[in-house]
Amino acid sequence: MSDTKSGNQMWGGRFVTGPDEVMEEINASIDFDKILYAQDIAGSKAHGRMLVKQGIISADDGKAILTGLDTILSEIEAGQFKFSRALEDIHMNIESRLAELIGDAAGRLHTARSRNDQIALDFRLWVKQTMLQIDEQLVMLIGSLLDKADVHKETLMPGFTHLQTAQPVTFGHHCMAYVEMFGRDLSRIRDGLERLDECPLGAAALAGTGFAIDRHITCGELGFREPTRNSLDSVSDRDFGLEFLSIASICAVHLSRMAEEFVIWSTPQFNFVSLSDRFSTGSSIMPQKKNPDAAELVRAKTGRINGSLIGLLTVMKGLPLAYSKDMQEDKESVFDAAASLRLAIAAMHGMISDSTINKQEMQKAAGSGYSIATDLADWLVREAGIPFRQAHHVTGRAVALAETKQCGLEELSLADLKGIEERIEQSVFDVLSVENSVKSRRSFGGTAPQNVESQISYWRDRLGN
Ligand code: ARG
């Protein structure tokens, strides 16, 4: 079978002339949807087998179809398949090749099916598989953060608000904050997978079909939980793509925030972390430089991923039911976002696992900036019965005095402190240390090493690792 003058062999019956070159260019999706070949063939095989079971096509035709589809699969995988733009998309490229291989029987495969439910299926299968891969990657990333947290549950560092030193925390606690974020991403992936798990195949063009198909058979064979319930919605729904992009965007934002911290921490000014040679680059002009390019690119990929979400939301906005060709524009953004996210997680994972935490520097910084001021205020409340607001004021004066003396709060003398508030006793010095400050923060979710430890076991249990 070859293309006729009237255009596409698959639908050209009522056409007198073929498409304009520009029409072909705007219409063809094969350049990007060929990535869906495995899903398309899996869907066709399930559909073909079901048609035989239901007595809609003969067993012989069914056999020829399945053998032909397997041949096509190996041709594509061997790089021997010739994709044609004139055949628009992956569905028609495959069907046309099937006709070359097995003749007229190929034409029976499209009984009780449309490209509309076909693409809805292929794309869903692809997104599902991708989400499962990202699930695995997130579990690995969280695993390496848990390992870091475990090693550093007592490593002191400054905690920041407004990027100003606030109160000391442990680096383990900081790692566990990201575990919480990526843990939520993971739960969003799993939750999204639940909703996605419906099979649209058999919705046909938009209204279902008069043939006695069994959608439960194809659904089961393709590994979905249940068939979609409304044929119009089945071919026009791209929520699974939108949900994936939303989840990807939030996850990318988390990665980007972490990347930003690594960018800051790896500066000579901070020097909290040293990036490995494997995950940094040099400058072609400044020999001393080691640049955190991996982190910067992770930060930048977020722009692409967020852009994809806005892109697809805008494509879908205002589309009437059911299928419209606009929806062909759903794929590239999802493919691009998925590739970007997968790469970003992999880069982040590698960069973190490979980096060295400079404990000394972190510890030194943990005590700077009067980070234990709150501990002094808390002591005044606890031991001297002073209301917190007043204690805050007293502590502020102590900080001002230490600032004039250019020393730490713990370096002020008892007499200095008594000069500000006479109820202060020698025992105040017990709380004026970074270690004790951190150890004392045992409230649920607080930074104390024992809390970090129990949070690590919580996540290990939850993830089974
Ligand atoms: N290439 C199309 C897409 O990606 C497949 C569905 C085409 N359906 C149609 N009725 N033209 O959406």
Side-chain angles (χ1 to χ4, degrees):
M1 228 194 262
S2 63
D3 289 2
T4 63
K5 245 180 79 201
S6 59
N8 195 297
Q9 59 174 316
M10 299 293 165
W11 47 248
R14 62 159 292 181
F15 285 72
V16 180
T17 59
D20 186 89
E21 228 175 273
V22 175
M23 180 57 202
E24 187 171 298
E25 189 169 347
I26 196 171
N27 198 33
S29 54
I30 189 63
D31 292 343
F32 55 84
D33 69 15
K34 60 180 167 210
I35 197 179
L36 298 172
Y37 73 89
Q39 289 77 8
D40 198 71
I41 290 174
S44 287
K45 285 176 76 175
H47 184 66
R49 264 196 283 264
M50 182 276 292
L51 290 178
V52 172
K53 256 189 216 149
Q54 297 300 103
I56 298 168
I57 65 171
S58 72
D60 283 350
D61 284 346
K63 225 171 131 201
I65 287 171
L66 293 185
T67 317
L69 287 170
D70 281 337
T71 306
I72 293 170
L73 184 63
S74 31
E75 285 176 351
I76 296 177
E77 280 177 347
Q80 289 157 354
F81 191 94
K82 236 183 114 311
F83 291 101
S84 146
R85 268 193 165 188
L87 289 165
E88 273 184 53
D89 56 26
I90 187 63
H91 323 299
M92 296 200 292
N93 268 269
I94 289 177
E95 198 186 315
S96 161
R97 177 68 185 138
L98 190 63
E100 281 174 8
L101 288 170
I102 67 167
D104 281 350
R108 298 194 187 278
L109 175 60
H110 214 51
T111 314
R113 187 178 75 168
S114 151
R115 280 188 294 153
N116 296 352
D117 58 343
Q118 215 178 334
I119 189 59
L121 169 71
D122 295 0
F123 196 31
R124 227 177 239 258
L125 281 171
W126 192 92
V127 171
K128 180 176 175 178
Q129 182 189 326
T130 299
M131 283 171 75
L132 288 169
Q133 287 163 340
I134 291 172
D135 182 309
E136 246 174 65
Q137 282 188 283
L138 282 174
V139 169
M140 274 174 61
L141 177 64
I142 293 173
S144 63
L145 284 169
L146 289 173
D147 292 343
K148 278 262 184 252
D150 206 9
V151 173
H152 292 287
K153 52 180 179 277
E154 293 184 0
T155 302
L156 302 168
M157 71 175 280
F160 300 93
T161 58
H162 314 263
L163 198 55
Q164 303 286 328
T165 302
Q167 291 171 350
V169 295
T170 63
F171 181 60
H173 194 54
H174 200 107
C175 290
M176 292 306 289
Y178 282 99
V179 166
E180 291 291 331
M181 293 186 231
F182 295 125
R184 286 194 294 274
D185 294 329
L186 191 62
S187 85
R188 269 186 282 272
I189 289 264
R190 292 179 181 180
D191 188 45
L193 279 166
E194 282 293 306
R195 259 185 306 282
L196 170 153
D197 212 8
E198 297 178 354
C199 183
L201 187 62
L206 75 163
T209 175
F211 290 99
I213 60 170
D214 186 339
R215 292 188 58 203
H216 288 91
I217 294 181
T218 41
C219 168
E221 192 171 319
L222 292 164
F224 286 101
R225 187 185 59 233
E226 59 192 319
T228 50
R229 285 166 301 278
N230 180 294
S231 60
L232 290 167
D233 179 51
S234 306
V235 296
S236 75
D237 168 39
R238 291 295 180 272
D239 286 6
F240 57 94
L242 290 171
E243 264 195 86
F244 166 66
L245 290 173
S246 319
I247 295 165
S249 295
I250 298 175
C251 181
V253 166
H254 294 154
L255 289 165
S256 173
R257 293 181 69 176
M258 190 170 206
E260 168 69 3
E261 298 208 299
F262 272 79
V263 170
I264 296 172
W265 292 348
S266 62
T267 56
Q269 288 76 7
F270 264 79
N271 195 24
F272 282 7
V273 59
S274 303
L275 300 176
S276 75
D277 288 357
R278 286 164 19 116
F279 283 92
S280 35
T281 58
S283 155
S284 52
I285 178 167
M286 296 163 283
Q288 87 284 9
K289 290 202 76 182
K290 197 166 175 186
N291 293 328
D293 293 32
E296 294 169 282
L297 288 164
V298 166
R299 199 171 55 183
K301 293 280 181 207
T302 310
R304 280 170 81 142
I305 296 169
N306 294 358
S308 296
L309 170 62
I310 300 303
L312 185 55
L313 282 169
T314 313
V315 165
M316 295 307 294
K317 174 200 161 294
L319 290 188
L321 296 183
Y323 176 85
S324 299
K325 196 61 173 263
D326 310 49
M327 289 161 69
Q328 178 164 287
E329 290 288 317
D330 57 359
K331 284 173 258 327
E332 283 164 293
S333 54
V334 168
F335 295 157
D336 185 76
S340 301
L341 184 64
R342 297 200 54 195
L343 191 56
I345 300 176
M348 214 54 200
H349 182 231
M351 199 185 72
I352 295 168
S353 318
D354 251 27
S355 62
T356 313
I357 301 305
N358 302 332
K359 276 170 86 164
Q360 243 83 45
E361 297 297 325
M362 276 193 175
Q363 183 131 358
K364 213 161 69 199
S368 70
Y370 305 102
S371 66
I372 51 173
T374 318
D375 297 276
L376 172 55
D378 288 350
W379 185 93
L380 291 165
V381 171
R382 215 173 32 242
E383 307 297 328
I386 299 176
F388 183 78
R389 279 287 155 237
Q390 212 177 312
H392 184 284
H393 187 76
V394 169
T395 306
R397 288 182 55 206
V399 168
L401 180 63
E403 238 167 7
T404 347
K405 296 197 162 199
Q406 295 189 347
C407 67
L409 279 175
E410 70 287 359
E411 288 164 326
L412 290 173
S413 67
L414 184 57
D416 285 338
L417 291 169
K418 274 195 179 295
I420 297 167
E421 166 55 61
E422 58 178 17
R423 282 171 286 182
I424 296 181
E425 303 291 343
Q426 179 65 32
S427 68
V428 78
F429 291 100
D430 295 344
V431 300
L432 294 185
S433 89
V434 173
E435 285 83 354
N436 290 344
S437 164
V438 159
K439 270 195 205 136
S440 75
R441 290 191 153 58
R442 282 188 301 266
S443 58
F444 187 79
T447 192
Q450 70 196 66
N451 284 11
V452 174
E453 202 166 73
S454 54
Q455 290 304 317
I456 294 171
S457 350
Y458 165 86
W459 277 103
R460 289 209 199 281
D461 281 356
R462 188 162 150 181
L463 298 177
N465 70 0

